Amino acid sequence: MRDCRADAEAIFRAGLARVDPLAMMERVLSLNGDILRVHTETECHEYDLSCFRNIYVLGAGKASARMALGLEKLLGERIAGGVVAVKEGYLEKLSRIRLMEAAHPVPDARGVAAAAEILAMAQAAGPDDLVIVPVSGGGSAILAAPLALPARRLTLADKQETTRVLLSCGATIQEINCVRKKLSAVKGGRLAAAIAPAACLGLLLSDVVGDDLDVIASGPTVPDPTTAADALAVLDRYDVAGKIAPEALAVLLDVAAGRAPETPKPGDPAFSRTRTVLVGTNFQALLASRDKARELGYDTVVLTSHLTGEAREMAHLFCGMAKDIAEYGVPLSRPACVIAGGETTVTLRGTGKGGRNQEMALAFLAGLARDAKNAEEAVFLAASTDGSDGPTDATGAFASLDILREGQRLGLDAARYLAENDAYHYFEAVGALLVTGPTNTNVCDIKVLLTP
């Protein structure tokens, strides 16, 4: 008899292994004498390291410590120094690059201190230096540098308040980062501007749907195509202009009116010696998960790497697919595995605890509670590749009819917990959380639906 819960976890972990930052750095970077080669499926670049006086490493993100480890293993004593900001607990043992921990998803004073050190080292780099910038998801919060303007005093508290509002209103990461760029001294290409005139090589691990370079960690080394008017439109779209910090709104209005500087745009001379390379994506993880599912004997399809929308609404899609597979054998024959990636959103309505993946799994259970016909054997896993789903210690959660029945035995109403956005406490009670601890990678989420 198949253990579908164990299979689902194995399929998820296969995806994780594919996007291990150290392994990816080893695949993408090579050194032959003084020649550093950066080669992906779509591009190849070479750097003659003998032409540079110093090599520095400056970066941020949940996976950036492990990316920095890859750089140390390859370049060793060629690295003159560096600072990388990471989420608390997402550490590696490094010898030449300093790691600084900070909070996520809401920034804290440690993130401000890390950004100050990184900016100082960036500004000190000269035209004969090379600055390598490992960037991954989470960098937007971890690297916190309130934009300094003569007429405004934007504070960390202002950024914290604004971040909380944006995270709870249902905005996408693209929309959230559009706003955050305008309030930062490091995002939206401003780190690259600080590094100039030194050469800059950005190495990005994508945690955003579509892999837009300017959205990953709010694009510290990438020209920003968005404007303050775009950011104000986001606030209007979700009716939160009156809820964010007043000083943050004032900064956006000043930038939009031309009273304060915009982020650097495509064609800006600051990027003349900057190159940014995508080294890892959610799609790569999905392909590895697919291969593992096939190895386990499942008829398998990768549905999409662009899953977005409200988490609880997307759960209906997977419930429906489980029923179609069981009843009609479409789009797959049993035993079947449907894999999807991306990043959904949650609009907070209650006061509970959870994350987007736990919310999706709980909505799947609520769907089974309404009608489990033809989905009696389905097992669903929704999990985050960074090991931290929302502000919890869980990676995600499993959902199945057995789990629903355990909740009912305990007197737990899945629909009531869903209404309170309290998926964590539901799954904690029924023993269906997936907890991996920090994975030191971050490429969005992986959903696995099994119908044996």
Side-chain angles (χ1 to χ4, degrees):
M1 178 179 289
R2 289 181 181 275
D3 184 343
C4 288
R5 186 159 158 177
D7 285 352
E9 181 172 347
I11 292 164
F12 169 73
R13 288 185 178 274
L16 272 188
R18 174 60 181 82
V19 291
D20 173 72
L22 178 58
M24 286 190 300
M25 296 297 272
E26 291 172 345
R27 278 193 295 269
V28 170
L29 302 177
S30 60
L31 186 65
N32 184 8
D34 288 328
I35 305 301
L36 173 65
R37 189 165 178 258
V38 187
H39 47 98
T40 71
E41 292 88 345
T42 59
E43 54 187 313
C44 181
H45 310 285
E46 291 186 349
Y47 291 82
D48 185 347
L49 300 185
S50 67
C51 296
F52 298 103
R53 182 187 57 178
N54 297 302
I55 300 173
Y56 299 108
V57 176
L58 305 175
K62 296 177 186 176
S64 294
R66 198 150 176 81
M67 296 172 77
L69 176 62
L71 289 169
E72 281 202 350
K73 285 180 174 291
L74 182 68
L75 300 177
E77 294 183 356
R78 292 177 186 263
I79 298 174
V83 178
V84 170
V86 299
K87 181 178 178 178
E88 186 173 15
Y90 285 58
L91 298 171
E92 296 288 347
K93 205 165 185 181
L94 304 179
S95 59
R96 307 191 68 81
I97 302 166
R98 183 184 175 200
L99 294 180
M100 297 183 69
E101 296 177 272
H104 179 279
V106 178
D108 67 358
R110 294 173 298 171
V112 174
E117 290 206 21
I118 287 172
L119 278 171
M121 187 171 285
Q123 291 162 349
D128 297 328
D129 297 331
L130 171 64
V131 181
I132 303 177
V133 185
V135 172
S136 67
S140 293
I142 293 165
L143 206 58
L147 183 64
L149 296 173
R152 297 289 174 199
R153 178 170 165 72
L154 188 67
T155 66
L156 171 62
D158 293 329
K159 295 196 72 172
Q160 289 172 326
E161 182 181 346
T162 301
T163 299
R164 291 189 185 99
V165 170
L166 291 170
L167 289 174
S168 64
C169 73
T172 66
I173 190 63
Q174 287 84 353
E175 293 169 327
I176 292 171
N177 286 357
C178 174
V179 177
R180 290 199 281 201
K181 290 176 190 177
K182 310 305 172 187
L183 306 176
S184 173
V186 68
K187 302 176 181 66
R190 285 181 166 139
L191 179 58
I195 290 170
C200 174
L201 170 61
L203 301 173
L204 272 59
L205 179 62
S206 176
D207 72 325
V208 301
V209 175
D211 303 325
D212 296 322
L213 300 185
D214 70 286
V215 180
I216 302 165
S218 295
T221 64
V222 181
D224 180 20
T226 70
T227 66
D230 296 324
L232 290 168
V234 170
L235 302 182
D236 289 342
R237 191 173 303 131
Y238 294 95
D239 194 24
V240 294
K243 298 178 182 178
I244 70 169
E247 194 70 3
L249 179 60
V251 169
L252 293 175
L253 291 170
D254 281 353
V255 176
R259 296 187 294 268
E262 257 286 5
T263 45
K265 304 303 177 193
D268 192 299
F271 301 105
S272 62
R273 300 188 69 201
T274 297
R275 177 177 288 125
T276 302
V277 178
L278 187 64
V279 300
T281 68
N282 178 255
F283 187 67
Q284 293 171 340
L286 300 183
L287 292 181
S289 290
R290 177 200 64 187
D291 293 344
K292 182 63 176 180
R294 288 176 175 172
E295 177 189 316
L296 292 171
Y298 291 92
D299 189 12
T300 305
V301 66
V302 173
L303 184 64
T304 182
S305 65
H306 288 72
L307 190 69
T308 58
E310 279 285 329
R312 62 178 63 190
E313 297 301 325
M314 293 302 102
H316 300 324
L317 169 67
F318 290 96
C319 276
M321 292 191 73
K323 293 178 178 183
D324 280 344
I325 290 169
E327 187 171 2
Y328 304 117
V330 295
L332 300 168
S333 57
R334 299 170 67 177
C337 173
V338 177
I339 298 169
E343 187 169 291
T344 57
T345 55
V346 173
T347 301
L348 292 179
R349 301 168 175 86
T351 59
K353 179 179 179 181
R356 59 184 179 264
N357 289 289
Q358 295 162 67
E359 173 126 339
M360 186 181 292
L362 186 56
F364 188 96
L365 284 187
L368 292 183
R370 290 189 299 270
D371 177 15
K373 183 181 178 183
N374 294 318
E376 294 91 346
E377 297 180 70
V379 172
F380 180 60
L381 169 63
S384 173
T385 57
D386 64 8
S388 178
D389 184 37
T392 76
D393 61 355
T395 306
F398 297 91
S400 68
L401 190 58
D402 287 344
I403 292 168
L404 176 66
R405 286 170 175 162
E406 175 63 11
Q408 292 169 337
R409 186 186 70 80
L410 295 172
L412 307 179
D413 182 348
R416 184 173 64 82
Y417 276 80
L418 184 62
E420 283 298 311
N421 299 114
D422 200 17
Y424 181 88
H425 290 118
Y426 181 96
F427 286 115
E428 182 181 44
V430 299
L433 289 170
L434 175 63
V435 180
T436 63
T439 62
N440 288 12
T441 192
N442 187 16
V443 293
C444 299
D445 305 328
I446 298 176
K447 324 294 183 187
V448 179
L449 171 68
L450 300 181
T451 305

